[in-house]
Amino acid sequence: FLAQTSATLLVSLFSKKQANEPAVTLTEPPSYLALAADAVSKAGIAMLSLSAFVVFFAILTKALLLAGLPTWITLVLEPTSAVRYAAGLVPSIGLPLSLALASLTLGWSGLSVIMQTQALFKGDLPLGKQIFCRGAIGILSFGITFLLASFFLS
């Protein structure tokens, strides 16, 4: 948690841009009942969209693994399988490196989460910038976790 938070704060400090959007002004008070109905409707659509990406990437990951691709491909695609993969490496690479690999995976978040975010923002979030920032957060998280785990677990 500390590594993820620190890495996210560092990346956000260096990638922050000033917004030039005008403030939104309401001309008449909103109908709270209509706002609630709209919010529930949009939340339902968002949940279906996110669930579709989760299912798609879970099936894609399993299919790629069954096709013989190396297990590390999960690090790129989907965080849950990737963390499970990192946990399985503890006997061969040690706990500090395995924790750092899991932290890298969670910081990167995988293409599944990146696509979910793109779907929710409907193109308002530049994909290239998102991939760069998620990659930077993953790399920083890896380094912070490895240093802390090496120091406290050795």
Side-chain angles (χ1 to χ4, degrees):
F1 176 76
L2 177 64
Q4 295 295 313
T5 304
S6 302
T8 301
L9 288 174
L10 284 171
V11 170
S12 68
L13 285 174
F14 293 109
S15 66
K16 197 165 191 167
K17 178 177 120 176
Q18 296 295 326
N20 293 329
E21 298 178 17
V24 176
T25 56
L26 296 175
T27 55
E28 59 183 69
S31 163
Y32 293 108
L33 195 54
L35 286 175
D38 186 52
V40 169
S41 174
K42 287 181 180 176
I45 292 169
M47 288 187 335
L48 285 173
S49 174
L50 296 180
S51 297
F53 279 108
V54 170
V55 170
F56 172 76
F57 274 94
I59 292 170
L60 177 65
T61 300
K62 192 67 163 177
L64 292 174
L65 293 176
L66 289 174
L69 266 71
T71 311
W72 60 261
I73 197 74
T74 62
L75 297 172
V76 176
L77 296 176
E78 193 261 321
T80 306
S81 300
V83 169
R84 191 176 306 121
Y85 169 69
L89 292 176
V90 172
S92 60
I93 64 173
L95 185 58
L97 191 55
S98 182
L99 286 173
L101 194 57
S103 189
L104 166 75
T105 298
L106 293 173
W108 158 247
S109 74
L111 289 177
S112 172
V113 175
I114 289 171
M115 296 286 88
Q116 291 172 37
T117 306
Q118 286 295 311
L120 285 178
F121 281 92
K122 294 179 175 60
D124 291 339
L125 183 64
L127 180 61
K129 183 176 181 179
Q130 184 187 10
I131 289 174
F132 174 79
C133 289
R134 296 305 315 172
I137 290 169
I139 291 168
L140 287 170
S141 297
F142 177 90
I144 292 167
T145 303
F146 184 73
L147 288 174
L148 290 175
S150 297
F151 181 75
F152 288 110
L153 298 176
S154 296

